[in-house]
Amino acid sequence: MGESFTGKRAGVDRRTFLTGTALAGAAAATATAGRAAAVQTAGVKPIVIASGNGLRSQADDGETCVERAFRMITEGADVLDAVIAGVNIVELDPEDTSVGYGGLPDAHGNVTLDSCCMHGPKKRAGGVAAIQGVRTPSLVAQAVADKTDHHLIVGQGAQDLARQFGFTIEDDLNTDTSRRIFFEWKRRVDPAHYLDPERDAALRWRVLHDMARDGIIDPEHMYGTINCNGVNAAGDVCGVTTTSGLAWKIPGRVGDSPILGAGLYVDNDVGAAGSTGRGEANLYNCASYLVVEEMRRGAHPKDAGMTALARIRANTVDSRLLNEDGNPNFDVNFYVVDKQGRHAGVRFYSGDNRNYAVCTENGAELVPIEGLIS
Ligand code: GLY
C-alpha cells in the first residue's frame, strides 16, 4: 500500500521554492481548472489547508501534501481520498520525525501511530490508535471507516485488521534518524532511573525541551502530527489527522489525533478543524468539535479557532502546565476551513513565525499562523 518515497524535502529556503512553485502551481491550476470545471457545481473555490509540514515533505515527483490533495480535488477525486493521499507523502517521509515512518518512538523505542479521518458528505469516520508496523495509519483509519461498523480500533487489534486488509506490516518503523534521537534521549534520561516518579516525570519533560533547545529535535515534532483538510468545488469537506504522537510517550498513550472531536472534526454543512500540538489539551476540551460548532454558529474560522484556544487556556489550571504569566507552557495549533473555503491557522503564541500550508487555484503557499497571546 502507498508509494515509494525517496526522502525529497522542500529546500530550507521554502519561500524561494514557493516563488517558483507558486508560478508552477498557478500554471498547473490553470491547466487543472479546465478539468475541474465539470465538477464545479456549488460555486465554491476548491481549497486544501494543512499544518506547515504539508508544504515541506515532497514525493518523488516533487509534490507536497497540499499540492497533491488540491490537484486530486480539482481533477474530481473524492476529497478524503485526496487529503489522505496528501498526508501519505508526509507519513512516508523518513525525515519527518512526527508522522508515520520514522516518527519519534515511545519510551520503549516503538513507533506507535495514531490517525483518524472524517468524510463530510458520507458522514463516515474511522480511526486507529497505537498502531505499529504500518507506515500510513491514515489509510488504515480510512479502511476502518469504509469497511467496518466501528470508528476506532487500537493497538494489536488495529495492526491485525490492517494485515487482514492487505497492508504491509513491518517489524520496526524506526529510521536511523529516529533511532539515533531515541538513544540520545535514553542517554539523557538513564541517570534518572532511581528518581521518584514525580522527579522522573519532570526530568523527562525537561529533557524533551532541552533536546528541542539543543536542536536535536524540531520543537514542532515533540507532539508532531499533520492535519490536512480539503473542500472541493461542490462544497464537500473532508479531513485527516495522522501522527506518531508525543515523543517518548508512556507506551500505550494515545493523543488527540485519532479521536474524533479532538484531533479532527468535520461537518459537511459547516467545515473542518484539525489540530497539532499537545493532544491532552485537545482531548480534555474536545476542541476540534468546539471549533466546528463555533463555525456552525456563524463564526469565521479564525474566531472559531481562537474560541477553542481560549477554552483550553481557561481549563489549564495545573501549575506544571503554566508559565510565569499564568498561560499554558505548551502550544496547540488549529487548522480551520469552512465550507465556503475561508480558512485560518491559529495557536497560543504568535512569537516565532510559524506557518500553515494552503493550496488554491493560485498555487501553494505558507500563511502565518495567528496567535491568541502575543
Ligand atoms: N497532537 C498529537 C498528540 O498529542 O499526540
Side-chain angles (χ1 to χ4, degrees), residues 66-82:
V66 291
E67 290 164 336
R68 174 160 301 178
F70 182 78
R71 176 178 57 76
M72 288 178 62
I73 286 173
T74 55
E75 288 173 355
D78 178 86
V79 180
L80 187 58
D81 288 345

Side-chain angles (χ1 to χ4, degrees), residues 153-373:
I153 312 283
V154 310
Q156 189 61 46
Q159 190 190 75
D160 291 346
L161 190 67
R163 185 183 288 107
Q164 289 157 18
F165 286 147
F167 285 85
T168 301
I169 309 296
E170 298 178 59
D171 281 345
D172 186 4
L173 293 184
N174 277 292
T175 57
D176 287 347
T177 302
S178 65
R179 213 172 276 115
R180 175 176 52 74
I181 298 173
F182 173 72
F183 280 113
E184 174 64 16
W185 177 76
K186 286 292 264 187
R187 192 185 66 72
R188 293 184 181 217
V189 172
D190 260 357
H193 266 358
Y194 302 103
L195 291 181
D196 65 54
E198 204 166 300
R199 284 184 64 199
D200 186 52
L203 181 69
R204 283 165 188 262
W205 187 246
R206 183 170 59 70
V207 165
L208 182 63
H209 283 267
D210 285 353
M211 289 176 73
R213 181 205 58 208
D214 294 349
I216 296 168
I217 57 176
D218 181 335
E220 288 197 71
H221 286 188
M222 285 192 287
Y223 287 99
T225 313
I226 180 167
N227 160 249
C228 183
N229 308 312
V231 185
N232 70 6
D236 287 337
V237 188
C238 293
V240 61
T241 302
T242 181
T243 190
S244 52
L246 175 65
W248 335 128
K249 60 198 170 191
I250 292 173
R253 178 263 188 189
V254 170
D256 59 325
S257 300
I259 305 298
L260 307 177
L264 173 72
Y265 200 72
V266 176
D267 189 310
N268 208 49
D269 294 334
V270 180
S275 182
T276 62
R278 181 177 159 79
E280 281 72 10
N282 265 338
L283 285 165
Y284 191 83
N285 292 280
C286 289
S288 291
Y289 181 74
L290 175 59
V291 173
V292 172
E293 288 306 295
E294 284 298 303
M295 288 196 290
R296 191 192 306 281
R297 284 158 28 89
H300 185 279
K302 176 184 165 183
D303 298 327
M306 291 296 185
T307 296
L309 288 171
R311 177 75 60 83
I312 293 173
R313 177 162 71 163
N315 281 334
T316 302
V317 297
D318 200 332
S319 60
R320 77 194 163 83
L321 296 173
L322 297 172
N323 62 23
E324 57 279 6
D325 297 326
N327 289 314
N329 61 13
F330 53 86
D331 218 337
V332 173
N333 309 270
F334 291 105
Y335 311 96
V336 191
V337 64
D338 68 15
K339 195 175 174 65
Q340 292 75 42
R342 298 182 301 173
H343 57 91
V346 298
R347 60 190 291 240
F348 276 126
Y349 297 103
S350 51
D352 49 1
N353 300 323
R354 296 274 168 79
N355 299 304
Y356 67 110
V358 177
C359 194
T360 65
E361 60 190 350
N362 300 319
E365 61 177 335
L366 290 172
V367 176
I369 300 177
E370 298 185 62
L372 177 72
I373 304 162

